Amino acid sequence: MSTTSLYHQSDTRIQSELLIIEKSKLNPRYFAPIYNQYYESIFRYVIKRTNDSDLACDITSNVFVKAITNLSKYEYRGVPFSSWLFRIAKSEVYQSFRDHKAKRTVSLDKVAVVKVLDELDLNDLEEHKEKLTHVLRKLKEKDLSLIEMRYFEKRSYREIGEIINVTENNAKVKTFRALQKLKILFKE
Amino acid sequence: MRKILFNKKELSSQEIKEMRDFDLVLKKVQAQRDFWKNPWFFGTIGLASILSFLFFI
């Protein structure tokens, strides 16, 4: 399964990013290249879950404010900076659900639906689309989030692990279990 | 209740690019820093701490 490419970076790119981060700790203006690089991917992550472009714009802005404000706490431990941004984005999106500013949305395209149905050993899209909608509403948030990141956003297990703060292997196991739960709900 | 959307038209990269506003981010960062530096903030916290200390003894 192909995964999102922005995450997989060369060592040179990671090093140049770390240099920008160090400079940004002294002066936030230096953070602009990182802001420009990741704005779109963070915005897309947020809007897929909120379906409100104005709110997504606000949340994305807050993600970068939090990142800059907490930059002194950031230490490179082999995990790309983007994972740290996605963790902040995840937390900000959930905060906006708690504040009732946003309603949880799941955005699907035909390719993603076909992929999930394939994993469930089902093949007729039109026949099962309605059922999938129903089942995705019933799935627990943590399971939905894993299915969403893996199958709808095509993230690697390594990236999922870094976003939810578990090992790559653990992310794989958790995603597999989430898929099993989806299967059980589908059969009900 | 979750809202499930199928094949919703996504914004283009250009549309998203137009939403970027790094100056606004810098302003918000500065506003947060100013808030913590504000003597009124620590004055209020300090006064509240003294009052609670006096209340408990």
Side-chain angles (χ1 to χ4, degrees):
Chain A
M1 184 170 143
S2 65
T3 53
T4 43
S5 60
L6 188 64
Y7 169 76
H8 299 283
Q9 299 171 359
S10 65
D11 283 346
T12 325
R13 195 159 169 181
I14 289 176
Q15 289 308 319
S16 80
E17 218 172 71
L18 288 174
L19 202 67
I20 295 171
I21 291 162
E22 284 310 310
K23 282 161 76 179
S24 307
K25 285 180 184 177
L26 304 170
N27 184 349
R29 288 205 170 271
Y30 288 115
F31 198 77
I34 293 184
Y35 174 82
N36 291 334
Q37 190 189 343
Y38 291 116
Y39 186 89
E40 184 175 342
S41 51
I42 297 292
F43 181 88
R44 289 197 189 279
Y45 174 92
V46 175
I47 199 165
K48 278 184 177 173
R49 289 156 175 81
T50 58
N51 189 38
D52 180 331
S53 57
D54 289 338
L55 182 65
C57 196
D58 277 353
I59 294 174
T60 307
S61 174
N62 289 341
V63 169
F64 286 100
V65 171
K66 284 219 166 151
I68 295 173
T69 313
N70 294 298
L71 215 50
S72 58
K73 293 176 195 163
Y74 177 77
E75 274 179 52
Y76 179 67
R77 291 176 186 154
V79 176
F81 187 70
S82 59
S83 300
W84 197 60
L85 288 176
F86 280 114
R87 262 190 231 179
I88 301 174
K90 181 174 155 251
S91 146
E92 286 295 301
V93 166
Y94 285 132
Q95 186 57 50
S96 102
F97 295 148
R98 284 193 289 273
D99 296 344
H100 304 289
K101 285 182 193 161
K103 189 176 176 184
R104 178 67 160 107
T105 305
V106 184
S107 303
L108 304 167
D109 59 38
K110 195 179 169 184
V111 180
V113 175
V114 169
K115 178 73 198 154
V116 172
L117 291 177
D118 191 39
E119 292 287 338
L120 300 173
D121 301 321
L122 301 163
N123 47 28
D124 194 330
L125 173 70
E126 287 312 310
E127 190 188 334
H128 298 106
K129 202 170 108 176
E130 202 63 34
K131 177 84 177 173
L132 184 66
T133 308
H134 177 69
V135 163
L136 288 174
R137 287 200 179 107
K138 285 173 83 179
L139 205 61
K140 281 185 182 166
E141 180 55 41
K142 64 180 172 84
D143 296 322
L144 172 68
S145 176
L146 289 163
I147 301 268
E148 193 172 33
M149 284 194 281
R150 178 65 186 167
Y151 297 103
F152 307 159
E153 295 172 348
K154 301 172 188 71
R155 293 181 198 276
S156 66
Y157 287 120
R158 189 174 164 202
E159 186 179 16
I160 295 172
E162 282 158 8
I163 294 172
I164 64 168
N165 207 13
V166 297
T167 62
E168 182 179 357
N169 211 28
N170 205 348
K172 202 172 180 175
V173 171
K174 281 174 184 279
T175 309
F176 177 76
R177 285 181 189 154
L179 197 63
Q180 292 303 108
K181 287 177 193 167
L182 192 71
K183 268 185 190 172
I184 292 167
L185 287 173
F186 226 95
K187 284 175 189 165
E188 277 178 6
Chain B
M1 177 73 107
R2 286 173 195 148
K3 200 196 285 182
I4 315 287
L5 300 171
F6 280 99
N7 291 329
K8 187 181 179 273
K9 190 184 169 290
E10 288 191 5
L11 292 173
S12 68
S13 294
Q14 188 54 39
E15 284 170 308
I16 296 175
K17 206 172 175 181
E18 282 162 14
M19 289 179 183
R20 290 192 318 207
D21 187 351
F22 188 58
D23 285 338
L24 178 68
V25 170
L26 289 179
K27 272 183 201 161
K28 285 182 181 177
V29 170
Q30 195 52 48
Q32 282 201 3
R33 287 182 178 170
D34 291 345
F35 175 76
W36 292 103
K37 278 183 195 166
N38 189 341
W40 281 105
F41 175 79
F42 288 105
T44 316
I45 295 287
L47 186 64
S49 309
I50 292 165
L51 287 176
S52 8
F53 176 72
L54 290 175
F55 178 78
F56 284 111
I57 56 166

